[in-house]
Amino acid sequence: MSGPELVVDGLTVRFGGLTALDALQFRLSAGEFVGLIGPNGSGKTTFFNALTGIYAPASGQVALSGKDITGLPPQQIYDAGITRTFQRLRLASSLSVFDNLMIGNHRNLSHGIIANLFARQRLKNEIEENVAKSRLLLEQFSAPLASRLFDPVSQLTMIDRRRVEVCRALISEPKILLLDEPSAGMTHEETRALMDDLLASRERMPGLAIVLIEHEMGVIERVTDRCVVLNYGEKIAEGSYREVASNSDVRTAYLGED
Amino acid sequence: MKSNRRGYWPVIVTALAAAMFVFLFLYLEQQWEIVLLAVGLIAVLFSSARFGLLRRVELAASDHPRTTIMVNVLAALLVIVLLRNEHFALLMLATVCLYVTICLGLTLQFGYAGIVNFAGIAFFGIGAYTAAVLSLHSALPHLLVIVISGLVAGLIGSLLILPMLRTRGHYAALVTIAFGILFRTFLEVNDLLGGPQGLKVPGMQVFGWSLNDNISLGPLGAVSFYASYAVVALLLAAGAYALIKRLERSWLGLNLDAVRTDETAAASFGIDLPRWKIFAFTAGNCLAGVAGGVYAMMSGFIAPASFNFGDSLLLVSIVLLGGSGNPLGVLPAALLVVVLPEKLQVIQEYRLLLFAVLVILILRFRPEGLLPRRMREYFAGWGR
């Protein structure tokens, strides 16, 4: 593949007088794993929300595989191949793990009224294929979770819910996965386990590019190829973890002057 | 997965018990008998839920969806045969079936898609008035008239949902309240539709057979003409039930659940929110409209006073009492809410107050209703 998969050019988001994201330049190649870091309120989640169509950008361009996707609604961004997880879990906790995964697989399912109500045998085949597909993904991701495919999400532990949320974003085989602070509310050990699962499943999805918002620098150092640092909506540094960590602007943003 | 299917005898036993109960509930007249039965029903539902009996019946039913509907329709037909010449009891039974149909529509709207509709009775009324006008002024076959009643209710509903899509939560609910009240006022001032006096509606004719004729069925003796309407209403409710269950066990049901549980997450996974809201709202109102069409022909007379805002509240309370999102729960809830005030004169006057208290108690102590919704089972033997 030639050239970057995702090109973000001068992306700006404003809330009234506040500029939450200021002319951001960002590039992501197929297969890359990029960390997005910065203090609270620096615009990381805003960036995700602008990318996925939840916020409309004030200016700037976003292109995926050479196609302009700026300002498209979330549904079309998903169809184009960008999926995400949320900082605060957004699973349907009353539904089963399978149902939640299938919400994530929306673009590969049939949604016609006739197909759903009156062609039951075909629908049954489609459902059985998807049960097999879900089971396979869960087994690859975290084997014990596969046996809980039909349990309600409300009966799962926090880390399993995170896993389900990541799998929901992966099952449609996206080009780009956006992970919004998956370690929130988890212990170090749980975060480590989740990241191991993620790295393992990434092996099986060549070309999948991942952007990870994360506060734990140990995680960023271990899993990412490259880091982008935001502060007050602006990119203040970019490079390998080592380069970024020794950057004086970054140290000031995180630790204050002196 | 198929080898694990359970036997269907729990379904048959339950259907027979339910039929016996419905018969007694409609047949008995003494106040204490009615109270005993109502309390008994709730007690049986609660205790069988507690001891897992209900779960066994539900599992058996979900393993044999077709048999379940057949057996229950037959059991209901048995009740109709037992009550064959009881005009009032049959009228109530038919009304319960029509209310079940509307409430299945509300289940689709509120239980699945999360759209609160406080104008259920208005869409029922639209269907009733459409059927009245069409059967008075056209020669269309009555079955077609009833289908059109549903379509008109659905169409008007799909116009109403446009402003609702621009609002969220409580505000969408307010739009439906306003519509329900406007609808009644509109009927009262509209002379073409009979104004406050309402309209007379001819009885239903199906393939040249008039449902208003009393029939005599050999050894069964005289049969009330309400028995025919009860059968029509029963078939309608059964059809609506089968349709809603199919929908719930498909990707469509999943899409509606996704819209209800989290709009942002749903949109982020490609789910077209307006499309599914319009679908649920329109389809639900169609069911209400079809029920309204049958109601108009059955009662022979409709007036604005039959379509009060208070009745819309009763419909919502049936859905909440039964268990939001569980079509099965609608059945006992509709039976209690429709029949109890007719049977207990004490309640009649205070029924709105009483049901308001009931809804508050349910939301406080058992928000999931008499029969809480289960996990979706896409087909028989799911997950086993």
Side-chain angles (χ1 to χ4, degrees):
Chain A
M1 189 165 288
S2 61
E5 187 80 351
L6 181 76
V7 179
V8 175
D9 187 20
L11 193 68
T12 302
V13 176
R14 290 200 185 90
F15 301 119
L18 177 81
T19 303
L21 204 60
D22 195 1
L24 186 74
Q25 303 290 126
F26 184 82
R27 278 178 175 40
L28 185 65
S29 304
E32 227 186 343
F33 200 144
V34 172
L36 187 60
I37 58 179
N40 286 327
S42 58
K44 305 181 296 293
T45 298
T46 303
F47 175 51
F48 276 11
N49 284 341
L51 265 187
T52 54
I54 293 176
Y55 297 154
S59 62
Q61 299 280 317
V62 182
L64 179 68
S65 319
K67 240 183 71 193
D68 184 21
I69 58 164
T70 319
L72 290 182
Q75 286 87 352
Q76 291 180 34
I77 302 282
Y78 163 81
D79 287 337
I82 301 182
T83 61
R84 66 175 294 179
T85 66
F86 297 88
Q87 190 171 355
R88 286 170 52 219
L89 283 166
R90 280 182 174 275
L91 291 168
S93 56
S94 60
L95 303 184
S96 66
V97 172
F98 177 71
D99 280 359
N100 275 282
L101 293 180
M102 286 304 106
I103 289 173
N105 202 26
H106 186 265
R107 73 164 169 233
N108 297 320
L109 307 177
S110 6
H111 297 287
I113 291 171
I114 305 291
N116 273 274
L117 295 187
F118 303 109
R120 288 298 290 187
Q121 194 52 49
R122 269 228 318 267
L123 182 72
K124 190 177 172 185
N125 294 341
E126 188 176 315
I127 292 169
E128 277 173 342
E129 281 163 24
N130 276 287
V131 169
K133 186 176 176 182
S134 306
R135 199 166 261 143
L136 186 68
L137 178 67
L138 288 181
E139 267 164 11
Q140 289 171 350
F141 202 82
S142 162
L145 196 52
S147 63
R148 311 205 60 180
L149 189 58
F150 302 114
D151 290 352
V153 164
S154 57
Q155 289 177 5
L156 300 184
T157 57
M158 189 65 178
I159 180 170
D160 278 344
R161 290 182 199 203
R162 288 275 177 208
R163 285 181 172 126
V164 171
E165 211 190 23
V166 174
C167 287
R168 179 177 69 173
L170 283 176
I171 195 157
S172 61
E173 291 159 24
K175 294 175 182 159
I176 296 176
L177 171 65
L178 308 176
L179 297 170
D180 194 349
E181 221 187 317
S183 69
M186 297 204 299
T187 64
H188 285 282
E189 288 68 33
E190 286 173 334
T191 306
R192 172 175 291 273
L194 183 69
M195 288 302 147
D196 288 341
D197 296 340
L198 190 64
L199 289 175
S201 61
R202 184 170 163 241
E203 306 265 291
R204 278 179 292 267
M205 300 180 192
L208 173 72
I210 303 178
V211 184
L212 169 70
I213 294 179
E214 186 50 69
H215 279 298
E216 283 190 41
M217 291 307 144
V219 174
I220 291 285
E221 182 177 15
R222 189 160 74 92
V223 302
T224 62
D225 308 322
R226 178 162 66 92
C227 288
V228 170
V229 190
L230 295 184
N231 195 24
Y232 294 112
E234 285 181 66
K235 182 160 80 179
I236 57 170
E238 185 168 5
S240 71
Y241 175 79
R242 208 169 282 272
E243 287 163 8
V244 161
S246 56
N247 181 305
S248 63
D249 286 345
V250 175
R251 300 181 77 88
T252 313
Y254 266 93
L255 303 170
E257 309 280 333
D258 294 333
Chain B
M1 282 188 177
K2 256 178 199 159
S3 57
N4 283 346
R5 280 167 69 154
R6 285 141 214 264
Y8 48 70
W9 61 268
V11 175
I12 295 178
V13 173
T14 313
L16 282 176
M20 240 18 254
F21 173 83
V22 172
F23 169 71
L24 289 175
F25 198 46
L26 291 170
Y27 185 75
L28 295 177
E29 304 265 312
Q30 295 292 329
Q31 305 284 295
W32 64 268
E33 292 169 339
I34 300 298
V35 173
L36 209 65
L37 277 174
V39 173
L41 172 65
I42 294 177
V44 166
L45 284 181
F46 269 111
S47 54
S48 55
R50 166 148 301 183
F51 296 114
L53 286 175
L54 204 60
R55 181 76 189 127
R56 280 176 72 181
V57 176
E58 278 185 306
L59 282 175
S62 94
D63 276 0
H64 305 276
R66 269 188 212 157
T67 318
T68 302
I69 288 185
M70 291 276 282
V71 165
N72 280 290
V73 168
L74 287 176
L77 285 173
L78 177 70
V79 173
I80 294 174
V81 170
L82 289 174
L83 292 170
R84 60 193 170 274
N85 212 13
E86 301 283 332
H87 298 291
F88 187 56
L90 286 169
L91 174 64
M92 273 193 296
L93 185 62
T95 311
V96 169
C97 289
L98 295 180
Y99 266 58
V100 164
T101 309
I102 314 174
C103 289
L104 289 171
L106 291 183
T107 296
L108 181 54
Q109 298 172 339
F110 175 66
Y112 297 163
I115 309 166
V116 191
N117 182 359
F118 283 114
I121 211 73
F123 292 103
F124 180 69
I126 290 172
Y129 269 88
T130 308
V133 170
L134 284 179
S135 54
L136 282 172
H137 301 293
S138 80
L140 290 173
H142 282 174
L143 286 182
L144 186 62
V145 166
I146 286 170
V147 171
I148 296 175
S149 306
L151 293 179
V152 171
L155 185 74
I156 294 179
S158 64
L159 296 179
L160 180 68
I161 189 129
L162 297 179
M164 285 171 68
L165 290 175
R166 298 167 155 271
T167 57
R168 278 194 180 209
H170 307 310
Y171 297 100
L174 285 179
V175 174
T176 65
I177 293 179
F179 178 76
I181 293 170
L182 268 177
F183 173 72
R184 209 197 133 165
T185 316
F186 167 78
L187 291 179
E188 276 176 345
V189 298
N190 192 317
D191 286 334
L192 269 177
L193 295 175
Q197 273 76 45
L199 290 173
K200 281 189 81 156
V201 192
M204 193 189 293
Q205 306 256 356
V206 182
F207 304 120
W209 170 55
S210 168
L211 265 70
N212 281 28
D213 294 343
N214 281 318
I215 25 179
S216 164
L217 274 184
L220 292 176
V223 175
S224 161
F225 74 94
Y226 279 124
S228 320
Y229 282 107
V231 172
V232 171
L234 171 69
L235 293 179
L236 175 63
Y241 189 88
L243 204 64
I244 297 286
K245 277 310 271 187
R246 266 193 179 200
L247 187 128
E248 197 244 350
R249 296 171 146 214
S250 76
W251 302 132
L252 304 186
L254 178 62
N255 290 341
L256 299 181
D257 281 334
V259 170
R260 182 190 75 251
T261 48
D262 190 331
E263 292 196 1
T264 306
S268 300
F269 290 101
I271 297 174
D272 187 346
L273 304 174
R275 175 182 169 191
W276 296 109
K277 285 183 178 179
I278 292 172
F279 167 73
F281 200 64
T282 306
N285 291 331
C286 276
L287 286 181
V290 169
V294 174
Y295 170 81
M297 294 182 182
M298 176 177 79
S299 53
F301 166 75
I302 50 169
S306 320
F307 309 107
N308 284 319
F309 177 58
D311 296 313
S312 289
L313 294 183
L314 284 189
L315 292 171
V316 173
S317 63
I318 289 174
V319 173
L320 290 176
L321 174 65
S324 179
N326 188 0
L328 192 66
V330 165
L331 308 179
L335 188 72
L336 285 179
V337 170
V338 173
V339 177
L340 217 50
E342 301 291 340
K343 285 282 184 176
L344 292 180
Q345 282 86 29
V346 203
I347 293 184
Q348 185 66 288
E349 222 167 306
Y350 302 100
R351 60 185 192 135
L352 272 183
L353 181 72
L354 205 81
F355 289 130
V357 172
L358 189 65
V359 167
I360 292 171
L361 288 179
I362 285 182
L363 292 179
R364 170 65 186 80
F365 293 105
R366 200 178 160 90
E368 66 274 34
L370 281 177
L371 298 177
R373 183 175 174 187
R374 301 278 178 195
M375 292 277 104
R376 183 190 328 281
E377 298 186 349
Y378 288 86
F379 43 79
W382 179 252
R384 275 175 275 127

